[in-house]
Amino acid sequence: MLALNNVEVMYDDVILVLKGLSLQVPEGKIVALLGSNGAGKTTTLKAISGLLKTEEGEVTDGSIEFLGKRIDGRDAATIVRMGIFQVMEGRRVFEHLTVEENLRAGGYTSKGDGNLKNKLELVYNYFPRLIERRNQKAGYLSGGEQQMLAIGRALMAKPKLMLLDEPSLGLSPMLVQEIFGIVRKINQEERATILLVEQNARIALGIADYGYLMENGRVVLEGTPEKLQDNEDVKEFYLGLTDVGKRKSYRDVKHYKRRKRWLS
Amino acid sequence: MDFFLLLLVNGLVVGSIYALVALGFVLIYKSSDVLNLAQGELVMLGAYICFAFVVQYNIPFFAAFVLTLVFSTILGLSVERVVLRPLIGQPIISVIMVTIGLSSVLRALVQAFWGTDTRPFPTIVSEAPVMLGSIPISQVYIYSLAVSLVLLAIFTAFFRYSKTGIAMRAVADDQQAALSMGISVRRIFAMAWIIAAVVSAIGGIMVGLINGINISLSYMGLKVLPVAILGGLDSIPGAVIGGLAIGVLENLSGGYIDPIVGGGVKEVAPFVFLVFILMIKPYGLFGKEIIERV
């Protein structure tokens, strides 16, 4: 469905952030994109959704194809209309608009208001908590509710591909569980393909069908969640487990530092 | 008592025109955070264009009115295209400075074409006053009040219920997030400028009908700025209430205090009032407060 081939992204004509990144998102699947801070995960999503331009970023090499058509270089509005919707990092709800107005803004690209009711209904079905808050300003929602609203906004556009950027950011473990459960449900029931960027590798691999691990602007490891979870380096650096598979304890700190064994 | 009522009615009429022009400020500020300092010139230009159509080309008033609105639409669109689009992504202050430049250019253009003399508008509305109780009100006042109120109601509803209106507010809130849901920020900016130019032109025409037009119509911008700030720069109801309040205040102080101190209070009163209000409510009466989550 979505294919990135050797994509290079440069900011301000000087800073090379993505250095030949390739990945595939097959239709109907959840693909996780993992990596530490500054690996280039968000940049990858922005390159796909066309939001790079507002930040002086540019795809300088390689190609991004969606449903067989090249989309690199197109503007964000066109890409949304083609069916890609990015849920930005940090929720980014419109604080001074009510919940319902936020949702309507999310459905901006869909034509006609005829099925507006149905779509609102759909969103409230997934996120019942938003119903009671529908006429409140979004700025006064709790963090979890705002994240729900952000995902709800995406649902309003009925996207074929949803790009989720760190939906777990700043949420309690319980809420993270709840939101990821809903993401899974959306994937199954709405047939929305999902590309998920996460720092929380454990939970992301828990729902993903396939995973990529990024470091320094390229993919260093890819595979099924099982394969990634079994990788010693992933265990050590992303899941916080020691060789034996136990939770790492700071009581017995190792006196050597494990080095990553992939080539980067 | 009659004197008071007369002042009050005059104030409300002038205030409703202020509110209309303030709406122009609010729209542009709401969608792009830019304070448009050429607002007064848009008012003036609209009035002169309508004047030209009616007097110089002998077009019937209503046709001229519609043509002026078409002209304002094109004006708003071209300002966005030529002046503002190259500045997307630049600091807001640069854009504000550019609107100052724009105001000079527009004023110079009007002077070049029409000179600086006051021109009377031909009588469109019958001059016979209508009696409201014991006070006479000229018909043109009633019409402008009605037009302003209708327009203000339309725009309030537009921003609350229409998809485009919501999209405009969304852009004002978070441009990038709006972009991420397919809202074309450029189109929204263009819309804001078009609406601002159109409402300003209507305001200008109405002032023209009441007082005649001259180049000092552009100072309307300066007069309406306290209205917009008083109501909260990004609030449409604020613009309405601010406009009416300032209009009434101006007329009352002009009527009661000016004779005592020998004039001038009428011009100063709105600003004095503004300073007091801002001390109590720094975001204006209805401005959006910055929502902070802790």
Side-chain angles (χ1 to χ4, degrees), chain A residues 51 54-55 76-77 80-81 85-86 88 91-92 94-97 101 104-106 108-110 113 139-143 146 153, chain B residues 159-164 166-167 169-171 173-184 186-188 288-291 293:
Chain A
L51 289 182
T54 54
E55 305 179 331
V80 174
R81 275 167 217 280
F85 198 107
Q86 179 177 2
M88 292 174 74
R91 316 194 269 267
R92 303 291 283 266
F94 302 120
E95 293 183 341
H96 298 94
L97 274 60
E101 285 168 343
R104 288 191 62 190
Y108 179 77
T109 47
S110 59
D113 279 348
Y140 296 119
L141 298 185
S142 75
Q146 286 191 347
R153 267 193 323 204
Chain B
F159 275 101
R160 185 149 306 164
Y161 303 111
S162 83
K163 198 161 85 171
T164 317
I166 291 175
R169 284 162 59 210
V171 168
D173 229 53
D174 188 336
Q175 276 184 27
Q176 212 186 19
L179 206 59
S180 84
M181 41 204 63
I183 297 170
S184 163
R186 279 187 242 152
R187 252 190 62 200
I188 297 290
K288 71 178 174 195
E289 293 176 25
I290 295 164
I291 295 176
R293 299 178 71 250

Side-chain angles (χ1 to χ4, degrees), chain A residues 141-211:
Chain A
L141 298 185
S142 75
E145 287 161 343
Q146 286 191 347
Q147 187 62 56
M148 293 177 186
L149 181 56
I151 297 175
R153 267 193 323 204
L155 271 177
M156 293 294 290
K158 293 255 178 189
K160 300 190 183 91
L161 173 65
M162 256 162 106
L163 312 172
L164 298 183
D165 199 349
E166 301 233 4
S168 72
L169 188 78
L171 301 184
S172 70
M174 277 256 295
L175 267 171
V176 173
Q177 288 291 351
E178 187 180 343
I179 286 192
F180 273 76
I182 296 172
V183 168
R184 170 104 260 186
K185 233 171 96 188
I186 290 173
N187 167 251
Q188 286 163 354
E189 292 171 9
E190 304 301 317
R191 316 285 326 133
T193 311
I194 288 166
L195 177 57
L196 174 69
V197 156
E198 260 298 341
Q199 299 226 14
N200 187 339
R202 188 191 312 273
I203 187 132
L205 289 177
I207 69 163
D209 299 302
Y210 202 78

Side-chain angles (χ1 to χ4, degrees), chain A residues 58-261:
Chain A
E58 200 188 354
V59 178
T60 46
D61 201 10
S63 67
I64 304 175
E65 282 175 28
F66 178 63
L67 297 171
K69 281 185 212 131
R70 279 193 70 157
I71 56 167
D72 42 310
R74 300 216 189 177
D75 65 349
T78 323
I79 293 174
V80 174
R81 275 167 217 280
M82 291 176 79
I84 300 181
F85 198 107
Q86 179 177 2
V87 178
M88 292 174 74
E89 182 177 359
R91 316 194 269 267
R92 303 291 283 266
V93 297
F94 302 120
E95 293 183 341
H96 298 94
L97 274 60
T98 64
V99 168
E100 197 145 314
E101 285 168 343
N102 264 278
L103 293 175
R104 288 191 62 190
Y108 179 77
T109 47
S110 59
K111 289 169 209 76
D113 279 348
N115 51 359
L116 180 71
K117 252 213 168 98
N118 293 337
K119 282 190 294 185
L120 285 173
E121 202 73 11
L122 178 85
V123 173
Y124 291 140
N125 251 328
Y126 282 109
F127 303 106
R129 270 212 237 176
L130 295 181
I131 298 181
E132 46 198 292
R133 308 226 174 232
R134 62 202 299 170
N135 292 321
Q136 266 179 38
K137 280 193 182 172
Y140 296 119
L141 298 185
S142 75
E145 287 161 343
Q146 286 191 347
Q147 187 62 56
M148 293 177 186
L149 181 56
I151 297 175
R153 267 193 323 204
L155 271 177
M156 293 294 290
K158 293 255 178 189
K160 300 190 183 91
L161 173 65
M162 256 162 106
L163 312 172
L164 298 183
D165 199 349
E166 301 233 4
S168 72
L169 188 78
L171 301 184
S172 70
M174 277 256 295
L175 267 171
V176 173
Q177 288 291 351
E178 187 180 343
I179 286 192
F180 273 76
I182 296 172
V183 168
R184 170 104 260 186
K185 233 171 96 188
I186 290 173
N187 167 251
Q188 286 163 354
E189 292 171 9
E190 304 301 317
R191 316 285 326 133
T193 311
I194 288 166
L195 177 57
L196 174 69
V197 156
E198 260 298 341
Q199 299 226 14
N200 187 339
R202 188 191 312 273
I203 187 132
L205 289 177
I207 69 163
D209 299 302
Y210 202 78
Y212 289 89
L213 190 59
M214 274 184 84
E215 206 154 273
N216 249 324
R218 38 173 94 80
V219 169
V220 287
L221 196 66
E222 61 174 287
T224 58
E226 295 75 32
K227 184 185 152 200
L228 289 180
Q229 271 160 347
D230 283 346
N231 183 295
E232 295 300 324
D233 292 327
V234 174
K235 276 188 198 167
E236 170 85 15
F237 292 107
Y238 291 93
L239 301 174
L241 301 170
T242 53
D243 292 342
V244 243
K246 286 191 190 119
R247 201 171 277 267
K248 196 166 171 177
S249 160
Y250 284 94
R251 266 219 320 243
D252 30 39
V253 179
K254 271 188 251 156
H255 56 274
Y256 66 92
K257 192 174 185 302
R258 189 186 164 96
R259 295 188 57 187
K260 295 174 185 168
R261 279 159 218 191

